[in-house]
Amino acid sequence: METLLVGAGVIGLLLAILALGSWVFAGLVIVAMLSLWGLGDFDANRIGLILSKILFRAANSWELSAIPLFILMGELIFRSNISERLFRGLTPLTRRLPGGILHTNVLGCTLFAAVSGSSAATTATIGKITTRELAQRQYDRGLSIGSLAGAGSLGLLIPPSIVMIVYGVQAEVSISKLFMAGVLPGLLIAALYVGYVGLRCLANPALAPRAEDTGTNVLQALRDLAPVLGLIVIVIGAIYTGIATPSEAAAVGCAATMALLLWERQLTVALFLDALRGALVSAVMVCSLLVAAALLSTAMGYLHLPSELAGWIAAQSFSPVALLLAMALFYVLLGLFLDGISITVMSLPITLPIIIQAGYDPLWFGVFLVIMVELGQITPPVGFNLFVLQGLTGESIGRVALAAAPFFALMCLAALIISVWPTIVLWLPTVLAG
C-alpha cells in the first residue's frame, strides 16, 4: 500500500506541475528533485551530484544523434515538391480501386512515414495536398479527413520512427530491431485503413466519385514515386543490411535527401535554413525530454518504486490479459493530455519493469506502446494530428475527431491482433537480426 501511495503521489505531483502550465521537461526535472528530497530524504548536495552525472550520461548517448538527423530529413522533404510528386504518382495507381484516390491518404502517409519519422510532419505534408485535391473532386469530407488523421499517425510506427528511438534508448532495446518490428504492424494498420475505405465506398459509391483518367501510365507514376522510394531503400536498406546503424543511416538519409534536392535544383540556402530551424526546435524538444526522463527514471530507481511496483503487480496475480488491458487504458488516458514522446519518457520508468515482470517481450511492448501513442494523436483535446488537420481544413476539432473515430477503432483492432498474434511483431526481427 505504501508503494501505491508513493507512486500516486509522484504522478499527482507531476500532473499538478503540468497543470500549472510548466514545460514538460521542466516538470520532469522538478518532480525528480522533489521526490528525492521529500520521499528519499536526500540533501541538496547529493541530489545535485546524482543529477549532474545522469545529465551527462543521458545527453552523451550516441543513439540520440539519429533524432535531429531524421527530423531534418523530414523537414527538407516537407519543403520540397517531393510530396506533390508522391500524390501525383499514387493517383493513377489508386484511381480504379473502390474509394479511388481517397487511398492516396493512406498510401501516401505510409510511404512518407518511411522517410519522416514524425506523425505531425506526415499528416501536414500529405494533407496539404490531398485535402485540397479531394475537396475539389467532391470526395466525402468526413472520410477524407478521417483517413488522413488515422494514416498520418503511421509516422510513429513505420521506421524510421522518432518515438521508437526514444523507446529504444530508454528501454535499452536495439533500435534496429525496433524498426524491423514496426514494419508489419504498420502495414497491417495501413491495410485495415485501405479495407475500411474500400468497403465504405462499395456500400455507398457517392462517397468517392470516379476519378477522371489523367492519362498518366504506371511508368510515369513510378517515375514520380522514385524519389521517395529511393530514399526509403537507402535509409531502411542501410539499417536492415547491417551496413549502417540507425544513427549512421540517419546521416546517410540526410545526405541523400540534400543530394536529391541539389540534383533537382530545389536546394536553396533559404530552404535549407528553414529546414534547419524547424529541425532544431523539434530536436531540442525531444532531446530535452529524454534527458529529463532519465533524471526522473533515476530518481524512481533510488526510491525503489519501479521494482516495488513490479513486485506488487506480480503479487496480485493479474492475468497477462488484464494487465495489458490496464496498460492500454492507462496510455489512452495519457494520450488525451500529452504528446507521444512525453507519454513515453514519463511512463516507461514505471510501466516497463511491470511489463518485463509479467513476461512480455520489451521489443513487442515497444510496438504496442507506439500504437497506444498513435491513438493519442487522434483523440481530443491534445491530439496533434487533429490540430494539424483543423489548420489544413478549417473544420472544428469536434468534427475532425468524429471523422477520425472509425480509424481509432481500427487501430485498437490492430493492437488486439498483435496481442493475440505477437509473431506479427517479432517475426521480422527474428528473421533479419536473429
Side-chain angles (χ1 to χ4, degrees), residues 39-403:
L39 300 174
D41 200 26
F42 287 29
D43 60 40
N45 288 334
R46 189 178 180 191
I47 293 174
L49 183 62
I50 292 171
L51 297 189
S52 63
K53 289 182 178 179
I54 299 302
L55 178 65
F56 176 78
R57 188 178 69 192
N60 202 36
S61 172
W62 168 246
E63 287 81 5
L64 292 183
S65 62
I67 293 176
L69 291 172
F70 277 130
I71 293 175
L72 177 59
M73 185 177 172
E75 291 283 342
L76 287 168
I77 294 171
F78 175 73
R79 286 167 170 78
S80 70
N81 74 349
I82 292 178
S83 55
E84 296 177 15
R85 293 170 62 181
L86 178 62
F87 175 81
R88 197 164 63 234
L90 288 173
T91 298
L93 302 180
T94 59
R95 188 176 55 246
R96 300 185 186 280
L97 297 176
I101 62 173
L102 267 175
H103 294 294
T104 58
N105 276 345
V106 179
L107 300 180
C109 287
T110 302
L111 288 174
F112 192 83
V115 293
S116 168
S118 165
S119 173
T122 299
T123 305
T125 303
I126 302 302
K128 72 176 182 178
I129 301 166
T130 60
T131 51
R132 182 182 64 250
E133 294 287 343
L134 292 172
Q136 288 177 350
R137 302 180 193 198
Q138 298 182 333
Y139 279 73
D140 182 74
R141 189 71 162 166
L143 199 53
S144 171
I145 294 172
S147 60
L148 184 58
S153 64
L154 292 173
L156 299 181
L157 184 59
I158 294 178
S161 163
I162 304 301
V163 174
M164 281 188 173
I165 296 174
V166 171
Y167 176 86
V169 170
Q170 279 197 280
E172 298 181 356
V173 174
S174 167
I175 295 173
S176 295
K177 287 186 176 181
L178 277 171
F179 282 179
M180 297 174 196
V183 172
L184 293 183
L187 295 178
L188 169 65
I189 294 175
L192 290 174
Y193 289 170
V194 168
Y196 172 77
V197 170
L199 288 175
R200 282 284 307 275
C201 294
L202 277 175
N204 184 5
L207 297 176
R210 179 69 65 179
E212 69 277 7
D213 192 341
T214 59
T216 304
N217 58 36
V218 174
L219 186 60
Q220 289 174 310
L222 291 177
R223 190 178 297 117
D224 283 325
L225 294 175
V228 170
L229 295 176
L231 291 175
I232 292 173
V233 170
I234 290 171
V235 175
I236 306 301
I239 296 172
Y240 289 178
T241 57
I243 296 175
T245 66
S247 298
E248 293 165 346
V252 170
C254 269
T257 302
M258 286 190 284
L260 174 63
L261 296 184
L262 190 62
W263 173 264
E264 297 191 342
R265 298 182 179 179
Q266 295 186 54
L267 185 61
T268 63
V269 174
L271 183 146
F272 180 74
L273 290 178
D274 285 344
L276 206 57
R277 291 188 193 100
L280 180 63
V281 171
S282 299
V284 168
M285 180 270 290
V286 173
C287 293
S288 63
L289 280 173
L290 275 175
V291 172
L295 300 179
L296 180 60
S297 177
T298 301
M300 297 301 99
Y302 274 105
L303 297 176
H304 307 292
L305 185 60
S307 59
E308 290 185 14
L309 272 175
W312 182 84
I313 293 290
Q316 306 311 304
S317 300
F318 286 137
S319 69
V321 174
L323 177 61
L324 206 57
L325 285 174
M327 287 288 179
L329 179 60
F330 171 67
Y331 278 113
V332 169
L333 290 175
L334 284 182
L336 298 177
F337 306 104
L338 296 169
D339 66 277
I341 293 172
S342 299
I343 291 171
T344 305
V345 298
M346 287 171 55
S347 66
L348 273 186
I350 295 175
T351 59
L352 187 61
I354 296 172
I355 284 295
I356 293 175
Q357 178 78 21
Y360 286 101
D361 189 319
L363 182 62
W364 175 88
F365 182 67
V367 174
F368 179 84
L369 171 60
V370 171
I371 293 177
M372 294 298 105
V373 167
E374 285 183 332
L375 291 173
Q377 299 293 303
I378 54 175
T379 52
V382 193
F384 279 10
N385 283 14
L386 303 185
F387 287 127
V388 171
L389 286 171
Q390 182 191 33
L392 286 172
T393 64
E395 303 286 351
S396 67
I397 281 290
R399 182 172 181 187
V400 175
L402 187 63

